[in-house]
Amino acid sequence: DPVAVDLERDDLSLYPFLYWPVTEDQRQPSAAAYGRLNDFLRHGGMILFDTRDADLGSGSGTPNGRALQRIALRLDIPPLAPIPEDHVLTRTFYLLQDFPGRWTGSTIWVEAAPPAEEVEGMPFRNLNDGVTPVVIGGNDWAAAWAVGEGGQPLFPVGRGLAGERQREMALRFGVNLIMHVMTGNYKSDQVHVPALLDRLGQ
């Protein structure tokens, strides 16, 4: 089950992943909380910032988007870029081309990666097993993942079979996300094991 975290008091090192639903009236964390958050990001933690506004046309023009900009000003976030088609999040467990939640169509932002080079006909990025410290989007993933005590979904997603397929893809994205948090870019490297061993002279 989800566990609530108090940024002002809790030891964030116990949590490799934080889901941060952004609201327009969210209060600014204290200086101490920002210190904890920046330590968390520097030492392998990931935050999924979800503005939950893709149905409105997510981005900096929405109230939640502006709130995220305000919150992120004091975070040590690396340069970001829209998620590339060959990012490890597209294949850590499931093969995905899209990352829907309750909504679809939001641009997903991750740490900008170095340009890909071709190794044995496959794109390869030298990421040093790193995990993007932040993922930003507006698809309201928690609403798509949420279930009640009886296992029934708590929020509607789409309509009919298309909606159920969208919910399934949202769950698959959640699995890929946690696999990426827990295992880094092993899946990206796995494809290139022969080339990596050759580089190591083995």
Side-chain angles (χ1 to χ4, degrees):
D1 290 337
V3 176
V5 172
D6 185 338
L7 298 178
E8 304 296 336
R9 292 183 296 192
D10 291 342
D11 180 1
L12 300 183
S13 67
L14 300 175
Y15 306 96
F17 172 78
L18 298 177
Y19 173 82
W20 190 319
V22 180
T23 59
E24 62 178 301
D25 56 354
Q26 220 160 60
R27 65 185 178 88
Q28 203 83 356
S30 69
Y34 271 115
R36 289 190 186 93
L37 285 166
N38 284 324
D39 281 345
F40 174 80
L41 294 173
R42 278 193 292 267
H43 293 97
M46 177 198 282
I47 302 175
L48 171 60
F49 288 103
D50 189 351
T51 55
R52 304 176 302 155
D53 54 8
D55 62 322
L56 304 175
S58 64
S60 59
T62 67
N64 290 1
R66 289 189 292 272
L68 175 57
Q69 286 183 327
R70 176 175 44 82
I71 291 165
L73 281 175
R74 295 176 63 186
L75 290 175
D76 294 336
I77 295 176
L80 302 176
I83 190 167
E85 291 181 2
D86 65 327
H87 194 277
V88 71
L89 271 173
T90 65
R91 60 183 183 273
T92 46
F93 190 80
Y94 294 104
L95 296 176
L96 301 175
Q97 287 86 44
D98 196 12
F99 312 97
R102 190 178 186 193
W103 318 121
T104 61
S106 169
T107 300
I108 312 301
W109 296 82
V110 295
E111 180 177 6
E117 57 180 288
E118 288 288 322
V119 176
E120 296 182 345
M122 297 282 291
F124 175 74
R125 297 178 191 270
N126 184 14
L127 298 174
N128 296 321
D129 291 330
V131 174
T132 178
V134 295
V135 176
I136 298 174
N139 285 337
D140 199 4
W141 289 284
W145 300 334
V147 294
E149 290 184 4
Q152 295 301 311
L154 293 180
F155 300 96
V157 173
R159 294 180 181 224
L161 291 177
E164 289 310 305
R165 176 68 175 168
Q166 182 174 322
R167 190 187 304 278
E168 174 66 22
M169 292 300 103
L171 291 168
R172 291 185 184 195
F173 169 61
V175 170
N176 277 22
L177 191 68
I178 299 305
M179 288 285 288
H180 181 46
V181 171
M182 302 303 291
T183 64
N185 287 316
Y186 90 96
K187 193 75 171 187
S188 180
D189 289 346
Q190 188 180 42
V191 174
H192 304 288
V193 165
L196 293 169
L197 291 176
D198 185 59
R199 288 183 180 192
L200 294 170
Q202 298 182 14

